[in-house]
Amino acid sequence: MTGNKDMFIKLDMGVANQVTLGDGKKANVEGRGVIAVNSKANNTKYIHDVLYVPNLTHNLLSVGKLVQRGYSANFDNGECIVTDKKSGTILAKVQMADNKVFPLHMPQKKLALQANVMDESYLWHLRYGHLNQKGLQLLKQKDMVVGLPHIDRNIQVCEGCIYGKMHHLPFPKTSWRAKAPLELVHADIFGPTRNPSLQNKRDALENYSTEVDKLSRKILDFMAKALNFDNDGNVFGEISQAMRMNYYPPCSQSEKVIGIVPHTDATALITILLQLNEIEGLQINKDNKWIAVDPPPDAFIVNIGDILEIMSNGMYRSVMHRAVVNATKERLSIATFVSPSLDREIGPNPRLINSINRAKFKRISMKDYWKGFVDRPLDGRRYLDGVRIVDDDA
Ligand SMILES: O=C(O)CCC(=O)C(=O)O
Ligand SMILES: [Fe+2]
């Protein structure tokens, strides 16, 4: 982490968080980004996920993070040796200073001007309207172009050609069209199927689904107790489960794209979220600020969904969240949405309602709730607000 904004070559200021310093004081994190440093061999190395903490007077490199990312830090004989465990390469030897700290000097990479030699064959590929290598070789062979060099090596991968060659297949023609909501449903998972599963992936998913189901029932049971629901163990009725697997490919201009737009989980009581490869991306909105949620190793994130907000009469608030993509690493998550089954009616739990605490939400069948949800206008407003009772006295 650093307090020097000028060090960043890329900085996302949409991150808000706090860190606890050695003296127990808290400091505000206002951004996260990438800084470039020069190695001894004059190569540029990048340090990712660097926190911008404006009040910090010294730059701090976390030994914990180094270890987490596959490096070892060995403190012995008054020096610290940082090694890349995979290749065994020693990255840094840091001598202990008189005041017993280990100051690591990393010259920062700052470029005012950079010269680049462009691959000649690529240049001619562009000059001739993205002509392929064979075409260029033919031009050369027939001596048709003055100054055209020998094209004897593979032209570098051309991004424009890749985009240009992409095409879109037509959708299959069908005369049938869905006319009513829920007549046609796209589901993320399906089954049962008799096709053999690749490397038992289906079994793994089924086991996961069963275990998450057990876990979510336990969590809901505890929540019912905490909320003082009249719980005969069946207060939420039959539970249904839906799963969404999210894949966020890396994007070098990650600040210009969004993984999942801001939303609350409208059809869920709770969502059990597994962040598969522990890459940060989930953010929650608090006081109009987006706060990054650190992916906890070996743990789930449990989100409150809109339906629990309804049933708890607003005592539990569903959380507004979104997912952003990482500049260099792909990210995977599995969201398991736990909802009451379609034949249920939902509404605030009667135990929570009296003449002082009036119902804040209408009672509605899950079927109508779902229908309204898939039928809702996409105007950015929360679907939950449609079932909210607007209090005339307020
Ligand atoms: O990928 C994530 O962390 C969030 C996914 C999510 O919010 C969703 O699938 O509803
Ligand atoms: Fe979500």
Side-chain angles (χ1 to χ4, degrees):
M1 60 184 97
T2 177
N4 183 355
K5 203 172 181 179
D6 294 340
M7 287 182 81
F8 289 92
I9 53 163
K10 194 170 155 235
L11 179 61
D12 176 9
M13 293 292 283
V15 177
N17 219 331
Q18 279 201 323
V19 284
T20 312
L21 302 175
D23 57 1
K25 286 201 186 109
K26 299 230 185 265
N28 287 337
V29 177
E30 291 190 7
R32 178 189 299 266
V34 182
I35 64 172
V37 291
N38 250 350
S39 73
K40 272 234 165 78
N42 208 26
N43 291 328
T44 308
K45 299 264 180 227
Y46 297 100
I47 307 181
H48 292 265
D49 295 336
V50 180
L51 300 180
Y52 171 48
V53 184
N55 292 331
L56 213 62
T57 44
H58 291 95
N59 305 330
L60 298 175
L61 189 66
S62 154
V63 173
K65 286 270 183 217
L66 277 178
V67 172
Q68 220 175 34
R69 292 190 183 181
Y71 303 98
S72 74
N74 193 9
F75 294 85
D76 201 8
N77 278 339
E79 69 174 5
C80 166
I81 300 179
V82 182
T83 315
D84 181 349
K85 287 216 292 203
K86 220 194 241 165
S87 63
T89 324
I90 294 183
L91 297 177
K93 279 189 183 180
V94 190
Q95 297 299 327
M96 186 167 76
D98 291 339
N99 58 354
K100 311 282 184 293
V101 297
F102 291 81
L104 171 62
H105 297 290
M106 288 188 293
Q108 224 199 307
K109 183 94 179 172
K110 278 219 167 133
L111 300 177
L113 200 62
Q114 183 169 3
N116 250 335
V117 181
M118 196 172 189
D119 178 0
E120 278 259 275
S121 37
Y122 180 61
L123 189 62
W124 284 91
H125 164 75
L126 297 180
R127 280 183 179 152
Y128 272 81
H130 292 261
L131 183 60
N132 61 30
Q133 188 165 353
K134 265 202 183 140
L136 286 173
Q137 277 166 342
L138 194 69
L139 289 181
K140 178 70 192 169
Q141 195 187 324
K142 300 204 167 173
D143 210 10
M144 291 165 81
V145 182
V146 179
L148 180 66
H150 258 296
I151 311 289
D152 49 5
R153 43 189 276 193
N154 284 347
I155 299 175
Q156 71 179 71
V157 176
C158 172
E159 209 179 342
C161 284
I162 293 175
Y163 284 128
K165 283 175 189 151
M166 282 183 180
H167 63 282
H168 186 267
L169 293 175
F171 289 107
K173 285 209 168 79
T174 162
S175 54
W176 183 85
R177 295 205 78 78
K179 294 196 183 64
L182 293 184
E183 209 175 327
L184 177 67
V185 177
H186 287 284
D188 286 339
I189 53 170
F190 74 104
T193 165
R194 267 179 280 149
N195 295 338
S197 115
L198 259 182
Q199 297 163 355
N200 289 332
K201 293 233 169 39
R202 195 172 64 231
D203 293 349
L205 188 60
E206 273 169 13
N207 287 340
Y208 179 73
S209 159
T210 312
E211 293 305 320
V212 172
D213 184 56
K214 283 192 223 161
L215 172 71
S216 47
R217 281 167 203 271
K218 281 219 168 87
I219 294 174
L220 286 174
D221 237 26
F222 285 128
M223 283 179 163
K225 273 199 189 101
L227 284 162
N228 198 21
F229 280 3
D230 186 9
N231 191 11
D232 53 359
N234 198 22
V235 67
F236 298 108
E238 276 293 302
I239 294 296
S240 80
Q241 189 193 71
M243 241 180 234
R244 175 156 60 213
M245 297 183 187
N246 301 302
Y247 174 66
Y248 307 92
C251 175
S252 57
Q253 299 194 24
S254 54
E255 67 291 345
K256 292 195 182 152
V257 294
I258 184 90
I260 290 196
V261 293
H263 66 283
T264 54
D265 292 338
T267 57
L269 284 158
I270 51 172
T271 305
I272 313 278
L273 183 75
L274 176 66
Q275 306 188 71
L276 248 76
N277 51 348
E278 286 166 22
I279 302 294
E280 196 183 280
L282 176 66
Q283 296 184 343
I284 58 163
N285 194 288
K286 187 163 188 296
D287 304 328
N288 280 332
K289 270 199 167 175
W290 287 106
I291 299 173
V293 180
D294 252 348
D298 302 324
F300 293 113
I301 299 267
V302 180
N303 281 344
I304 305 281
D306 284 357
I307 297 189
L308 193 55
E309 178 162 345
I310 296 175
M311 293 181 105
S312 69
N313 202 31
M315 278 173 79
Y316 282 2
R317 305 286 302 278
S318 67
V319 62
M320 177 68 75
H321 56 285
R322 68 177 186 182
V324 296
V325 304
N326 192 285
T328 52
K329 289 172 234 143
E330 63 180 9
R331 179 168 178 269
L332 291 143
S333 74
I334 302 182
T336 308
F337 306 101
V338 180
S339 322
S341 68
L342 277 185
D343 48 23
R344 271 280 310 219
E345 189 183 69
I346 54 165
N349 189 279
R351 277 242 184 146
L352 304 177
I353 310 298
N354 53 41
S355 55
I356 299 162
N357 296 312
R358 292 206 250 158
K360 293 189 177 128
F361 299 95
K362 299 172 200 160
R363 297 199 76 76
I364 181 170
S365 73
M366 258 319 266
K367 235 182 220 157
D368 287 342
Y369 181 87
W370 258 107
K371 260 190 194 162
F373 177 67
V374 288
D375 224 9
R376 76 199 185 284
L378 293 174
D379 54 7
R381 273 189 293 182
R382 284 180 74 193
Y383 174 58
L384 181 67
D385 292 334
V387 287
R388 202 182 289 281
I389 296 174
V390 184
D391 198 344
D392 292 337
D393 304 345

